[in-house]
Amino acid sequence: MTNIAIVGLQWGDEGKGKIVDCLSDKFDAVVRFQGGHNAGHTIKVGDNTYKLSLLPSGIIRDKFSVIGSGVVVDPIALFNEIKKLEDQGLKILPEKLAIADNACLILSIHQDLDQLLEAEKGENKIGTTGRGIGPAYEDRAGRRAVRICDLLDEKVLRERLTNLLFYHNLLRKSLGAEIVTVEKIISELAPIRERLLSFTRPSFEIYKKLSACKNVMFEGAQGVLLDVTYGTFPFVTSSNTMSGQVALGSCMGVGDLHNTIGILKAYTTRVGSGPFPTELNDEIGNFLRIEGKEVGTVTGRDRRCGWFDAVLVKQAIKISSVKEIALTKLDVLDKLEKIKICVGYKIDGEVYEYLPQANHLWSKIEPVYEEIEGWREVTVGAKSVSELPQKARNYIARIEELCGVKSVIISTGPKREETIILKDLS
Ligand code: IMP
């Protein structure tokens, strides 16, 4: 049995959906272990494009798919997503999709609060996806959240909601929003309550089922640099996005994870606010945005683009125990004459090999770059390393050297077949 985690090593949008999809045939089960419907995974199969936010990518391949205990679940968004996939011809049945009973719910009040607080922050906003992720995790830590299992009993549900709304209504009053009643939330949940429960399983039952699988893939969402503990705080998401979270959010234990593959884009992007030392606010940044189609799947916002940052990635690799990498979107760089890689930061004349957590230093960062000659040849659709120009191979080799890991997959286009597989991971 080899269970692997797939995590993004930058600020999300590294192309995890495609890589998970490429590998999922070899795995019996795919598990989401953190985040919620703030994620956006686009998967192309033949002529069909599937967009996933909350559902594990394995659902496209009819694999046993789990929304684990560490995920926050907006049931209305979940069923909208399921409906879209069903309209595309997929069948999503409780035999194939299990949701942990101790996962916490995202309710309409969470989305309201996310948006109200962001609006209050003005210039200092985080640039969240506005989906209620942060407020839902806050309620979990504050022990006020409603868990899916609370829907099983009307009395418990009302008690939990009364407790939760006491807190939310205090905040809502001070933000000038209407008071919300228990009845309102109950009526929002009523149309989906039974259906949601039909997919819900005790987390220990999920553990047993996953333990009986030959191999399991844990599918990360967002990226390691958005981790609430180690990311660019406070410009982060509200969950832990590193592979360590697998043990807490998947229904399985720390010993059940055997390898972590990190997904890396050949350049860097981020959505929302926060530091981005290698950001390019020039024509090359625009080129990357257009060529890489860098528009958020969830929010439709343009992504900020910049050079590959080996400083950040090396840190992410270490703290997520990444052993191997999958490099994506290499083809986006095909037309560039020169390509830069950031190999260090200079702050007040001192060289740093990591991003300092102290926010006041961020504006002083001067990236130290290495310049590499572009290959200026088409790599789209290459299926083996021998099809890649030598200069593209040099670029990959330099990234591997700087990051101290080897590539096992190189993605050369959005389609499943546009992939170089260097190692069998099953
Ligand atoms: P939240 O997760 O909606 O609270 O947003 C917090 C930060 O994480 C914002 O900068 C978002 O743009 C970013 N974020 C959340 N989910 C994703 C994702 O799946 N990809 C990229 N960025 C994300």
Side-chain angles (χ1 to χ4, degrees):
M1 184 182 189
T2 306
N3 297 337
I4 66 164
I6 304 282
V7 295
L9 291 173
Q10 290 148 320
W11 281 293
D13 311 310
E14 298 90 353
K16 292 181 290 294
K18 173 185 159 172
I19 304 296
V20 171
D21 178 57
C22 279
L23 297 176
S24 60
D25 267 357
K26 301 178 192 301
F27 289 79
D28 285 356
V30 180
V31 184
R32 278 280 309 266
F33 55 91
Q34 47 73 225
H37 65 309
N38 49 348
H41 291 166
T42 304
I43 297 172
K44 284 190 192 286
V45 183
D47 292 335
N48 293 322
T49 301
Y50 300 101
K51 291 205 183 276
L52 301 177
S53 278
L54 182 57
L55 289 165
S57 302
I59 209 84
I60 307 289
R61 301 273 161 204
D62 215 20
K63 299 288 171 175
F64 178 55
S65 296
V66 172
I67 295 180
S69 313
V71 177
V72 281
V73 179
D74 178 331
I76 293 165
L78 172 71
F79 290 120
N80 286 339
E81 193 174 323
I82 289 180
K83 164 98 178 50
K84 282 196 194 128
L85 293 183
E86 288 184 337
D87 288 347
Q88 289 184 277
L90 297 181
K91 275 222 152 24
I92 315 257
L93 300 170
E95 299 85 80
K96 284 289 169 203
L97 174 68
I99 308 175
D101 61 348
N102 58 343
C104 293
L105 287 176
I106 300 183
L107 302 168
S108 58
I109 48 173
H110 293 116
Q111 187 160 326
D112 290 349
L113 196 57
D114 197 353
Q115 293 171 6
L116 285 165
L117 290 173
E118 280 283 272
E120 271 310 294
K121 283 185 192 140
E123 292 263 290
N124 297 322
K125 68 172 179 236
I126 289 166
T128 71
T129 58
R131 305 259 158 134
I133 308 293
Y137 276 117
E138 283 170 39
D139 282 341
R140 187 179 76 164
R143 294 157 294 181
R144 298 177 290 272
V146 177
R147 297 176 306 160
I148 300 185
C149 55
D150 297 331
L151 298 178
L152 286 164
D153 184 276
E154 183 77 18
K155 185 164 168 281
V156 171
L157 177 60
R158 283 179 181 275
E159 277 168 14
R160 302 292 309 153
L161 281 174
T162 305
N163 187 43
L164 180 66
L165 287 175
F166 168 74
Y167 177 82
H168 273 258
N169 281 331
L170 285 178
L171 279 173
R172 292 175 73 94
K173 265 187 235 162
S174 63
L175 292 164
E178 286 174 3
I179 298 300
V180 170
T181 61
V182 169
E183 291 317 317
K184 177 174 186 281
I185 305 291
I186 299 249
S187 69
E188 286 171 1
L189 291 172
I192 45 87
R193 188 166 161 181
E194 285 310 314
R195 191 164 179 219
L196 181 62
L197 288 172
S198 73
F199 287 99
T200 304
R201 301 279 173 273
S203 61
F204 196 60
E205 290 297 333
I206 296 179
Y207 165 79
K208 285 200 290 186
K209 184 143 182 192
L210 290 174
S211 299
C213 289
K214 194 160 103 305
N215 45 24
V216 177
M217 182 191 292
F218 303 103
E219 179 184 7
Q222 291 82 50
V224 169
L225 304 177
L226 288 170
D227 184 279
V228 67
T229 312
Y230 285 99
T232 47
F233 191 93
F235 304 102
V236 291
T237 192
S238 297
S239 63
N240 287 107
T241 54
M242 314 198 324
S243 61
Q245 169 65 18
V246 165
L248 298 169
S250 68
C251 305
M252 297 195 92
V254 69
D256 294 311
L257 174 61
H258 308 126
N259 191 12
T260 300
I261 313 282
I263 315 295
L264 268 185
K265 186 144 62 180
Y267 50 99
T268 313
T269 61
R270 92 172 285 176
V271 273
S273 322
F276 186 167
T278 61
E279 183 167 16
L280 292 166
N281 290 308
D282 58 11
E283 71 281 7
I284 299 181
N286 268 335
F287 168 85
L288 293 173
R289 186 170 309 111
I290 294 162
E291 202 72 8
K293 301 189 179 59
E294 296 296 352
V295 178
T297 323
V298 172
T299 56
R301 288 180 288 184
D302 274 355
R303 295 180 188 141
R304 301 157 63 193
C305 298
W307 295 123
F308 186 85
D309 188 338
V311 178
L312 286 177
V313 166
K314 199 162 82 183
Q315 249 177 283
I317 284 175
K318 298 288 177 215
I319 54 180
S320 234
S321 301
V322 166
K323 304 278 189 325
E324 289 156 330
I325 53 169
L327 190 68
T328 65
K329 291 195 146 180
L330 184 71
D331 53 296
V332 172
L333 307 179
D334 283 356
K335 294 180 190 151
L336 292 173
E337 205 174 320
K338 299 272 179 213
I339 300 172
K340 290 186 183 177
I341 301 179
C342 173
V343 294
Y345 298 148
K346 241 189 198 163
I347 303 174
D348 291 334
E350 204 182 314
V351 177
Y352 283 65
E353 54 157 342
Y354 57 88
L355 181 84
Q357 281 289 342
N359 297 18
H360 72 282
L361 296 176
W362 291 345
S363 60
K364 301 184 185 178
I365 292 175
E366 295 167 55
V368 179
Y369 286 117
E370 249 179 43
E371 199 170 72
I372 291 200
E373 256 188 84
W375 42 95
R376 308 194 83 186
E377 279 180 54
V378 176
T379 64
V380 186
K383 292 184 178 61
S384 70
V385 173
S386 60
E387 288 174 51
L388 294 178
Q390 186 57 48
K391 284 177 183 162
R393 286 193 240 170
N394 295 347
Y395 183 66
I396 298 168
R398 186 62 185 136
I399 287 179
E400 290 178 342
E401 188 183 8
L402 286 165
C403 299
V405 283
K406 286 275 177 213
S407 315
V408 285
I409 297 175
I410 298 165
S411 167
T412 55
K415 294 196 192 124
R416 205 175 195 224
E417 47 296 358
E418 295 170 329
T419 311
I420 303 172
I421 306 242
L422 296 162
K423 184 182 164 189
D424 180 11
L425 292 166
S426 52

